[in-house]
Amino acid sequence: MKIWILTSGFGSGHSSAAKALEEEFQSKGHTVVVSDIVQLLYPKTAKLIYPVFSRVICRHSWLYNTLNQFGRGAYHDPKTPFSLKKELVRIDPDMIVTTWSGCGRKLGQLNIPVHICITDVGVHTGWLYPYAESYWAATIEVSEQLANLGISPAKIHIRGIPVRKEFNYLPEKTTMRKTKHLLIMGGGLGIIPWLDVLLQGLADLSNVKITVVVGKNQQLYQKLTQKYPDIQAVGFVNNIAHYLSQADFLISKPGGISLFESIYATTPYIAICPTYEHELENAAFIEKKEIGMVVHHCEDSCRQIKELLADEQRCCTYLANMMQLKHDIEENRKSFERVNVAYAD
């Protein structure tokens, strides 16, 4: 079977999910092609769109949320763009999988199955594609939201958010260590506006080790190595599973991919200052499942984290809940693989 995965570069989450699916499908003998739909549709302006997104829009949540609303309106049936038709003929896939909500709004009606892989623990109308063969939901809650939006339950399958294959082989943590290892991440773009406040506030803790993954943010890397010599700063890494497996807590903005990576690594999540709509949904999930803590105000981050680290029972509860959630997700994924056409021999 040949599978065409359509994604986008708006943040690293959509492309990370596409890469994880590519690995998964290839391991089962399928041929996979991954394409950035924005680059396909706008080959010249994509070079401008993505830098503006990362340098301007991602740094202003009000602007991000305002623009995001344009992708959540009523679906208008488009004609399939010529560039997509041309690529469709060239690739000649047996099925299409999308990992970005905007893909369906560009495809139009096609004569091959299209599966929508949702990459957050919340869903909005922008994900809806009237010609979808199926929707791959991250959780039971997402499947219920889809049903409430009018999607037939027969089209909804719970499979979790795809993560890279190395996360399938991580040992589970069974106990919390006395000396806590905190892993701080700012995503692929390395945007961590609250980092200075946090590092200054935690500097007096003697029983804490801190690692900061700054992604592609070289300016931040240089600053950290000079200003905070006692912490470990690393740039963009391909083995994030290793870093997560070594950490007792992940501290980050709550993205869907990082959330599921932390679940597979059984690493409780400290979500800092969620502001984007999808982050607020992910943060609510963390609180509901009690797999970590949400800090809503940056100025309170140090105090709340110190209180958490001093409460061993609370730390152990988060870890136990994370282990149970990982087990539940793996069971849902096994059920998904048994019924989904993409995994047929």
Side-chain angles (χ1 to χ4, degrees):
M1 179 180 290
K2 181 179 282 189
I3 302 169
W4 190 17
I5 301 176
L6 290 172
T7 187
S8 83
F10 291 120
S12 59
H14 306 298
S15 55
S16 293
K19 184 64 178 177
L21 286 172
E22 180 185 24
E23 292 177 345
E24 195 173 319
F25 292 143
Q26 287 178 338
S27 71
K28 298 180 182 297
H30 302 302
T31 301
V32 184
V33 178
V34 178
S35 299
D36 184 315
I37 194 170
V38 176
Q39 291 179 349
L40 283 178
L41 293 174
Y42 315 106
K44 295 182 179 179
T45 55
K47 295 179 181 179
L48 175 64
I49 292 171
Y50 283 143
V52 169
F53 174 80
S54 62
R55 296 172 187 171
V56 180
I57 297 174
C58 278
R59 287 172 166 82
H60 301 280
S61 59
W62 66 269
L63 179 58
Y64 179 99
N65 289 334
T66 299
L67 293 175
N68 200 32
Q69 289 302 317
F70 287 101
R72 300 190 179 202
Y75 183 87
H76 297 288
D77 208 348
K79 292 183 178 180
T80 304
F82 175 77
S83 56
L84 281 179
K85 284 184 178 180
K86 183 179 178 181
E87 197 69 359
L88 187 63
V89 171
R90 184 186 72 83
I91 296 173
D92 191 25
D94 298 294
M95 62 179 277
I96 293 174
V97 179
T98 71
T99 65
W100 175 52
S101 61
C103 292
R105 294 179 171 252
K106 300 295 183 180
L107 289 180
Q109 186 173 8
L110 303 175
N111 59 359
I112 62 172
V114 177
H115 303 269
I116 310 298
C117 179
I118 297 170
T119 54
D120 276 302
V121 296
V123 66
H124 54 77
T125 53
W127 284 102
L128 304 188
Y129 173 60
Y131 310 112
E133 182 79 7
S134 73
Y135 292 84
W136 301 352
T139 63
I140 293 174
E141 289 83 357
V142 172
S143 71
E144 293 171 346
Q145 291 172 33
L146 284 167
N148 290 335
L149 289 171
I151 303 302
S152 168
K155 287 189 173 186
I156 303 170
H157 306 286
I158 303 170
R159 67 134 293 146
I161 296 176
V163 295
R164 300 289 294 271
K165 61 183 179 181
E166 56 262 33
F167 283 92
N168 296 321
Y169 307 105
L170 296 179
E172 286 188 349
K173 302 181 181 75
T174 56
T175 58
M176 275 282 176
R177 293 172 290 192
K178 294 297 182 183
T179 297
K180 301 295 190 294
H181 184 179
L182 307 181
L183 178 66
I184 303 175
M185 289 170 42
L189 301 175
I191 301 174
I192 320 178
W194 35 262
L195 185 59
D196 254 334
V197 173
L198 192 60
L199 293 180
Q200 290 173 9
L202 298 179
D204 60 335
L205 295 179
S206 59
N207 61 337
V208 171
K209 175 184 176 182
I210 299 175
T211 298
V212 183
V213 179
V214 302
K216 299 176 182 178
N217 193 335
Q218 286 299 311
Q219 183 178 0
L220 179 58
Y221 177 83
Q222 294 296 332
K223 175 183 177 180
L224 292 179
T225 53
Q226 295 173 11
K227 189 173 181 179
Y228 301 101
D230 292 333
I231 73 160
Q232 179 187 21
V234 294
F236 188 86
V237 297
N238 290 316
N239 60 336
I240 197 63
H242 167 75
Y243 286 92
L244 268 170
S245 68
Q246 298 299 309
D248 295 288
F249 286 95
L250 170 63
I251 303 177
S252 184
K253 297 275 274 184
I257 298 298
S258 64
L259 174 55
F260 264 69
E261 287 177 345
S262 72
I263 292 169
Y264 273 85
T266 54
T267 303
Y269 208 117
I270 300 175
I272 301 288
C273 305
T275 51
Y276 306 131
E277 291 191 27
H278 68 282
E279 290 177 348
L280 292 168
E281 293 168 341
N282 296 336
F285 180 83
I286 291 170
E287 291 183 317
K288 178 181 178 181
K289 298 295 183 180
E290 294 187 79
I291 55 172
M293 176 178 71
V294 178
V295 177
H296 290 282
H297 303 287
C298 294
E299 58 271 21
D300 292 336
S301 59
C302 294
R303 176 185 60 80
Q304 291 189 43
I305 290 173
K306 286 181 178 180
E307 290 175 355
L308 171 61
L309 297 180
D311 190 340
E312 197 65 28
Q313 181 58 51
R314 189 177 168 199
C315 291
C316 291
T317 297
Y318 288 157
L319 175 59
N321 291 341
M322 188 67 89
M323 292 172 63
Q324 181 61 51
L325 180 57
K326 178 184 178 181
H327 172 77
D328 295 342
I329 288 171
E330 288 179 331
E331 289 301 308
N332 286 330
R333 182 176 168 182
K334 290 176 183 176
S335 297
F336 169 85
E337 291 184 0
R338 284 195 293 267
V339 301
N340 196 274
V341 65
Y343 296 89
D345 293 333

